[in-house]
């Protein structure tokens, strides 16, 4: 796997001069015959009598699209011997992947407050080719899920956040086989069965309630003073 297209250099050695060369590029099952001088360059070396070497320089532009590639080289020499790299057990297969994975998080929201003993958080991670790992850091405790585990879970991982009387954090990142990475924004949330803790950590509501109480007390006190003054008059 690679996240950037690269030029391929392949060398074929033959005891005789080649009369025919054909290079086939297979991208996700779609075959294309490469054109010499446009898609690749051939450099020949060796004496007229003796071993010959053919250096195939396949340009990186042939691998600009994301997907799985297989390169097959067919050749025929003057003695009519036909050869290809696949039959010789020299497989040329690789994947180009420039896109990072995606992570969909559900179950909690940024600055969410939940009156519960625990809460399930669901992570759905996907990649256009192959995922490598998922890293989950829940309030300082880290868990890493490798490719085997993610395949077994079909990319869906469930994490349980236990209730605490304080704010918690969740950090999630993923990497695919080509090295592309993604990290979602840190999520801060509060899970607690304690209503007072939930109320206290809702600052706008908490301070708003205090202001309301103070205003009510001030109004009540003012009314009381006014009433006494009125009776005295």
């Amino acid at each position: 796997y690679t996240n950037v297209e690269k030029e391929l250099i392949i060398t074929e050695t033959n005891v005789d001069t080649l009369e025919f060369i054909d290079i086939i590029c297979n991208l996700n099952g779609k075959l294309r015959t490469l054109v010499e001088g446009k898609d690749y360059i051939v450099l020949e070396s060796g004496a007229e009598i003796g071993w010959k070497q053919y250096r195939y320089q396949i340009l990186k532009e042939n691998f600009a699209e994301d997907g799985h590639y297989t390169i097959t080289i067919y050749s025929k020499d003057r003695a009519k011997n036909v050869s290809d790299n696949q039959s010789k057990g020299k497989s040329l297969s690789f994947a180009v992947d420039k896109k990072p994975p995606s992570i969909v998080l559900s179950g909690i929201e940024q600055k969410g407050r939940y009156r519960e003993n625990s809460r399930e958080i669901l992570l759905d991670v996907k990649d256009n080719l192959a995922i490598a790992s998922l890293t989950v850091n829940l309030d300082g405790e880290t868990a890493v899920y490798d490719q085997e585990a993610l395949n077994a879970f079909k990319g869906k991982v469930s994490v349980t956040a236990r209730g605490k009387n304080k704010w918690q954090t969740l950090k999630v990142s993923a990497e695919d086989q080509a090295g592309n990475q993604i990290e979602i924004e840190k999520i801060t949330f509060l899970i607690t069965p304690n209503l007072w803790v939930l109320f206290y950590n809702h600052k706008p509501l908490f301070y708003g309630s205090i202001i309301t109480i103070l205003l009510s007390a001030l109004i009540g006190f003012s009314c009381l003073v006014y009433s006494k003054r009125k009776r005295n008059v």
Side-chain angles (χ1 to χ4, degrees), residues 3-14:
N3 56 15
V4 60
E5 61 268 33
K6 297 180 181 180
E7 186 176 84
L8 288 185
I9 304 295
I10 304 164
T11 301
E12 178 179 358
T13 303
N14 200 304

Side-chain angles (χ1 to χ4, degrees), residues 11-184:
T11 301
E12 178 179 358
T13 303
N14 200 304
V15 71
D16 202 355
T17 301
L18 296 183
E19 290 186 335
F20 174 81
I21 299 170
D22 212 2
I23 301 180
I24 307 296
C25 178
N26 181 335
L27 171 58
N28 298 329
K30 185 179 179 180
L31 303 180
R32 182 170 72 92
T33 301
L34 302 186
V35 179
E36 184 178 353
K38 177 185 176 182
D39 299 318
Y40 68 94
I41 301 169
V42 180
L43 297 176
E44 181 182 352
S45 61
E48 177 64 24
I49 300 176
W51 290 92
K52 312 290 191 303
Q53 280 197 334
Y54 296 84
R55 183 177 183 268
Y56 308 117
Q57 182 180 343
I58 305 176
L59 305 182
K60 65 180 182 179
E61 287 76 12
N62 295 291
F63 315 118
E65 294 185 46
D66 281 14
H68 292 277
Y69 288 87
T70 299
I71 300 297
T72 304
I73 301 177
Y74 298 91
S75 63
K76 182 172 67 174
D77 60 23
R78 289 185 300 187
K80 308 304 179 185
N81 297 306
V82 178
S83 180
D84 70 86
N85 59 291
Q86 299 288 353
S87 64
K88 292 183 176 293
K90 304 293 184 181
S91 177
L92 295 172
S93 298
F94 57 94
V96 176
D97 181 6
K98 304 175 187 178
K99 300 175 183 176
S102 66
I103 302 173
V104 177
L105 182 149
S106 59
I108 59 169
E109 296 179 350
Q110 184 69 272
K111 297 298 181 180
R113 303 169 184 86
Y114 310 96
R115 188 184 178 189
E116 297 173 347
N117 291 314
S118 63
R119 192 171 183 86
E120 183 182 32
I121 303 170
L122 183 63
L123 301 167
D124 190 356
V125 56
K126 290 183 173 62
D127 189 69
N128 60 323
L129 291 185
I131 195 72
S133 64
L134 173 71
T135 302
V136 180
N137 184 295
L138 178 58
D139 210 35
E141 296 184 5
T142 301
V144 179
Y145 303 85
D146 59 17
Q147 183 184 26
E148 184 178 355
L150 292 172
N151 288 339
F153 299 148
K154 296 183 179 180
K156 294 179 172 61
V157 174
S158 177
V159 179
T160 300
R162 304 296 178 186
K164 296 182 180 181
N165 293 329
K166 68 180 186 67
W167 289 94
Q168 301 185 56
T169 59
L170 177 68
K171 301 177 184 177
V172 183
S173 62
E175 183 175 352
D176 63 21
Q177 292 289 351
N180 301 301
Q181 298 178 343
I182 184 174
E183 182 175 351
I184 65 173

